[in-house]
Amino acid sequence: MATDQLSKVFSALADPTRRDILTRLGQGDATVSELADPFPISLPAISRHLKVLETAGLISRDKRAQWRTNSLEAAPLKEATTWMEHLSHVWDDRFDRLDAHLAAMKALQGTTDTDKEEEPNDD
């Protein structure tokens, strides 16, 4: 997936209304009116959200007779998830190395503290 397309996907997902629309489309195809029903915004506003989702490749729109049906397209979500999982593995590896380093430092600190306790006190 081109970085530009990935940016469009993340930009589209940044809006909670668009995420809610995608969640609804995960249950099945829907018309603009059906998608607009739970939102306190106008049909033109929903249409603008749908256009952003369509540009990002997250939905497809099909006109049948007078109805325009919207469908979820999962491929861009899968590609974005794959990209995020790669980064997650990178950060997991870095955190594992940091944990090992901190454990080694703590063990060394424990050795240093034990050495101090064993030194005779000249009081």
Side-chain angles (χ1 to χ4, degrees), residues 1-14 56 80:
M1 175 183 252
T3 302
D4 187 52
Q5 187 62 28
L6 188 61
S7 295
K8 289 177 184 177
V9 169
F10 284 121
S11 179
L13 293 173

Side-chain angles (χ1 to χ4, degrees), residues 17-75:
T17 300
R18 291 192 285 266
R19 290 192 306 268
D20 288 345
I21 290 170
L22 290 175
T23 299
R24 167 55 186 84
L25 289 174
Q27 299 168 4
D29 297 352
T31 64
V32 175
S33 296
E34 291 169 335
L35 292 171
D37 190 42
F39 298 104
I41 57 178
S42 67
L43 282 175
I46 290 294
S47 291
R48 285 190 295 273
H49 283 296
L50 293 172
K51 184 65 178 168
V52 171
L53 292 169
E54 183 179 30
T55 300
L58 294 167
I59 66 167
S60 60
R61 301 171 89 183
D62 183 34
K63 189 169 185 175
R64 296 180 194 147
Q66 71 236 31
W67 306 108
R68 184 174 287 262
T69 303
N70 300 278
S71 305
L72 180 65
E73 296 294 332

Side-chain angles (χ1 to χ4, degrees), residues 46-109:
I46 290 294
S47 291
R48 285 190 295 273
H49 283 296
L50 293 172
K51 184 65 178 168
V52 171
L53 292 169
E54 183 179 30
T55 300
L58 294 167
I59 66 167
S60 60
R61 301 171 89 183
D62 183 34
K63 189 169 185 175
R64 296 180 194 147
Q66 71 236 31
W67 306 108
R68 184 174 287 262
T69 303
N70 300 278
S71 305
L72 180 65
E73 296 294 332
L77 291 173
K78 175 66 175 153
E79 292 176 31
T81 300
T82 299
W83 183 83
M84 288 186 294
E85 285 173 349
H86 169 72
L87 286 183
S88 176
H89 292 302
V90 169
W91 281 105
D92 286 345
D93 291 344
R94 289 181 182 182
F95 285 131
D96 289 345
R97 288 195 312 264
L98 179 60
D99 285 343
H101 178 72
L102 293 174
M105 288 180 66
K106 188 174 183 179
L108 182 61
Q109 182 66 35

